[in-house]
Amino acid sequence: SVAMPAVIIEVGDAAPHLPPRGALLGLDIGTKTIGVATSDADRRLATGVETIARETFTLDAKRLLALAAERRCAGFVLGLPRNMDGSEGPRAQSVRAFARNLAKLTDLPIALWDERLSTVAVERELIAADVSRKKRAAVIDQHAAIFILQGALDRLAHQKK
């Protein structure tokens, strides 16, 4: 039972809400899949974990919370796919809704990372050009999650200085 819903913040405001150490779980939330990445406890490097085929929110959340518990995560980072002009379309809105729902099930802070600040878009193109069609979807989601998390880690590290 969770006493309070988790705080939902931008990565730039996340540092005060996070313990000094502890892995973070990075999520690329798509309509059909969720790419999952994690960091080391020192939050230096993001690595891929798995790609979850989306079912219901309840099942998806259960899997994510289990992964977070297994890895003793200190928080979540969700990629927020804003448009290039900064506006938020349906995809960004659905990520925000996911964050709000997830916040009701955990007290771990949920940080939103503006994907425009990372290399996600470029990376998606590169991978798509390079990987066979069948393998493509799963790999891209995981890679996107890695790039989202790595971008956020770099931003957090920069704040510490």
Side-chain angles (χ1 to χ4, degrees):
S1 64
V2 176
M4 249 178 80
V7 59
I8 301 173
I9 44 201
E10 301 273 336
V11 167
D13 304 321
H17 300 276
L18 292 168
R21 289 185 85 247
L24 299 177
L25 210 62
L27 307 178
D28 176 54
I29 296 169
T31 49
K32 297 195 170 76
T33 58
I34 299 173
V36 185
T38 190
S39 76
D40 55 299
D42 292 320
R43 301 186 197 135
R44 292 207 177 96
L45 189 67
T47 51
V49 176
E50 65 180 70
T51 299
I52 297 169
R54 293 194 67 172
E55 297 182 65
T56 62
F57 172 78
T58 308
L59 286 171
D60 300 345
K62 198 172 168 183
R63 180 69 192 132
L64 292 172
L65 294 171
L67 285 171
E70 252 167 53
R71 291 160 186 278
R72 297 192 178 84
C73 287
F76 295 94
V77 174
L78 277 59
L80 188 68
R82 284 199 178 108
N83 299 322
M84 277 304 165
D85 64 1
S87 63
E88 295 188 12
R91 272 198 66 210
Q93 292 305 325
S94 80
V95 168
R96 283 196 184 274
F98 191 97
R100 283 194 300 272
N101 290 328
L102 187 61
K104 293 171 189 159
L105 305 176
T106 181
D107 47 13
L108 296 177
I110 298 169
L112 301 174
W113 176 246
D114 186 339
E115 284 189 15
R116 290 174 311 157
L117 305 176
S118 67
T119 42
V120 172
V122 179
E123 192 61 17
R124 281 182 203 267
E125 296 303 311
L126 289 176
I127 296 164
D130 199 39
V131 176
S132 77
R133 200 171 282 275
K134 203 198 292 185
K135 288 187 196 154
R136 199 175 286 176
V139 176
I140 290 177
D141 295 331
Q142 240 174 47
H143 270 257
I146 293 169
F147 276 85
I148 286 162
L149 184 54
Q150 192 63 56
L153 294 174
D154 295 346
R155 175 73 193 270
L156 286 166
H158 191 68
Q159 283 178 315
K160 274 191 202 159
K161 286 171 188 163

